[in-house]
Amino acid sequence: MRGDQPGIWNLPLTEDQCSGAGRLFGGTGLGAAVRALETDAERPLVWATGQFISHALPGELLTFEVEMLAEGRATTQARARGHVGGRDVIAVMATLGRRNVNRSGVWISPPDAPAPMDCQPFPSRSTNRSVSTNLERRLVRGRTEDHEPAMEDGRVAMWVRVPSHLTVDPAFLAVLGDYVPWGGREAVGGGLGGGQSVDNTLRVVDPVNTEWILVDVRVGSLVHGYAHGTVHLWSESGHLLATASQTCQFRNPRSV
């Protein structure tokens, strides 16, 4: 919601904006910043990257301060600072605009995937209310139990149904781009704790309406406790909506 001054936006945090661990879900923070940036710039998002600096919790008020850095005929460069009572939570840089160019192409392809309703429900490992538990998810590729072997090629995927009250826009795609931590855990199997986002970058391709979105996660490496990965977001018809990239950190599980 808009604040009481230009360029100020407020997001009261509830469990629905948080992860199963009870902290702000990184994609939610980036998505909220994207919504504010697009509204203030009056241009569609091309690219945004968010660096996560500290945690925010349910009951806190996350405030975004939006600043236009450069505004050209077709492109705007902007940033947003997200904080709770002056404590920095997320810093976002973005490019917004649209250019008329008469040539285009997409040179990657989606993985083979059964229709959403032919896939089993996603095996949620958290009973806490969160962003993910409010989404209908169907597992395409991944482990269903902790004791199962690791996904040694670093690839997992799931279908997510777009809630009826939302549209397929960059703000929603930012939320779905925040699944590299899941891919990192699946890539090495059991024996890791955490899985927290350090950053999240969204590169918008061409959002179109679709009932389901295929979240195609590809983890390239997990070394020294940090995983680097990419998420491609596809419509049911195989149309590329956006690409996200992310680094996340893991820890050894706490001993009992």
Side-chain angles (χ1 to χ4, degrees):
M1 65 180 70
R2 284 190 181 275
D4 54 3
Q5 300 177 38
I8 302 296
W9 295 80
N10 294 313
L11 177 63
L13 294 180
T14 69
E15 291 176 324
D16 291 334
Q17 285 91 41
C18 294
S19 68
R23 298 184 287 263
L24 175 69
F25 190 73
T28 304
L30 182 60
V34 165
R35 181 66 52 77
L37 285 159
E38 285 193 317
T39 302
D40 282 1
E42 298 182 340
R43 283 176 168 171
L45 184 76
V46 176
W47 162 91
T49 187
Q51 181 182 22
F52 303 108
I53 301 163
S54 66
H55 297 304
L57 305 173
E60 294 184 325
L61 182 67
L62 180 60
T63 297
F64 288 96
E65 299 179 11
V66 173
E67 181 182 3
M68 302 296 126
L69 302 178
E71 298 179 79
R73 288 181 295 178
T75 302
T76 296
Q77 306 283 4
R79 66 184 169 201
R81 173 195 175 217
H83 61 90
V84 172
R87 171 174 53 84
D88 286 329
V89 173
I90 179 173
V92 178
M93 298 294 294
T95 297
L96 306 99
R98 185 72 53 89
R99 306 184 73 88
N100 293 321
V101 177
N102 58 11
R103 297 193 179 191
S104 63
V106 173
W107 295 276
I108 58 172
S109 57
D112 292 332
M117 298 312 293
D118 292 336
C119 300
Q120 63 179 310
F122 188 91
S124 179
R125 297 180 175 91
S126 174
T127 58
N128 296 337
R129 186 173 172 183
S130 67
V131 168
S132 294
T133 58
N134 286 316
L135 297 172
E136 182 179 354
R137 300 177 293 170
R138 296 271 172 171
L139 184 66
V140 174
R141 194 170 193 275
R143 300 184 308 143
T144 58
E145 300 287 347
D146 287 339
H147 66 268
E148 292 181 355
M151 309 298 292
E152 294 184 348
D153 61 358
R155 296 192 63 175
V156 294
M158 65 176 163
W159 287 108
V160 176
R161 191 195 294 266
V162 179
S164 59
H165 65 285
L166 294 178
T167 59
V168 179
D169 64 3
F172 181 60
L173 295 174
V175 175
L176 299 188
D178 193 13
Y179 275 105
V180 169
W182 167 52
R185 287 190 296 271
E186 301 295 86
V188 297
L192 278 182
Q196 299 175 4
S197 304
V198 175
D199 73 292
N200 196 349
T201 297
L202 179 71
R203 303 184 190 279
V204 179
V205 180
D206 189 25
V208 298
N209 290 329
T210 179
E211 181 180 3
W212 291 86
I213 292 175
L214 181 60
V215 180
D216 170 20
V217 183
R218 311 179 187 195
V219 175
S221 63
L222 198 168
V223 179
H224 301 307
Y226 293 92
H228 306 298
T230 301
V231 181
H232 297 301
L233 302 173
W234 306 92
S235 72
E236 280 186 87
S237 63
H239 185 87
L240 184 61
L241 308 171
T243 294
S245 60
Q246 194 171 20
T247 295
C248 55
Q249 60 186 1
F250 292 89
R251 56 173 170 75
N252 292 319
R254 294 187 178 93
S255 58
V256 179

